[in-house]
Amino acid sequence: MRNVALVEVDRFDPTPIYQQVAAIIRERIKSGGLQPRDRIPSESEMVRDHGVARDTARQAVAMLRDEGWVITLPQRGSFVADKENWPDES
């Protein structure tokens, strides 16, 4: 059975799709569904689970990396960053 995303992207929302995908993953991190050093979904999993293009998934990961939520290790994948690297949301 296909693993279905708990939160779907809203194609009628004016927010770019990559930002919506990033927000879904960010919320999983904040809620504890993804812990520091856990692997985040791969681009292929995002494509399958959210019905987005691979480039959209790549943009979502880049956004999370730029914000400090994830780190990418070449040839290994992307992982949740340690909490001290997370952005201050005050």
Side-chain angles (χ1 to χ4, degrees):
M1 182 187 294
R2 187 177 145 186
N3 184 14
V4 179
L6 297 175
V7 179
E8 295 293 327
V9 295
D10 181 354
R11 298 192 188 286
F12 292 102
D13 186 329
T15 305
I17 302 295
Y18 79 93
Q19 289 180 5
Q20 292 183 49
V21 173
I24 291 167
I25 296 169
R26 187 182 309 109
E27 287 307 313
R28 285 183 62 197
I29 294 169
K30 288 181 183 180
S31 71
L34 287 169
Q35 295 291 316
R37 300 189 180 200
D38 282 352
R39 182 187 301 266
I40 67 166
S42 68
E43 290 176 4
S44 297
E45 290 169 326
M46 289 183 223
V47 167
R48 181 191 68 217
D49 293 347
H50 300 290
V52 299
R54 184 171 294 277
D55 190 54
T56 300
R58 192 170 291 129
Q59 286 180 295
V61 173
M63 180 178 194
L64 292 166
R65 187 174 48 246
D66 291 346
E67 293 173 348
W69 292 104
V70 303
I71 60 168
T72 300
L73 302 174
Q75 305 299 314
R76 294 191 182 159
S78 295
F79 300 84
V80 177
D82 290 330
K83 284 188 177 184
E84 60 265 12
N85 296 322
W86 293 1
D88 181 23
E89 301 223 330
S90 48

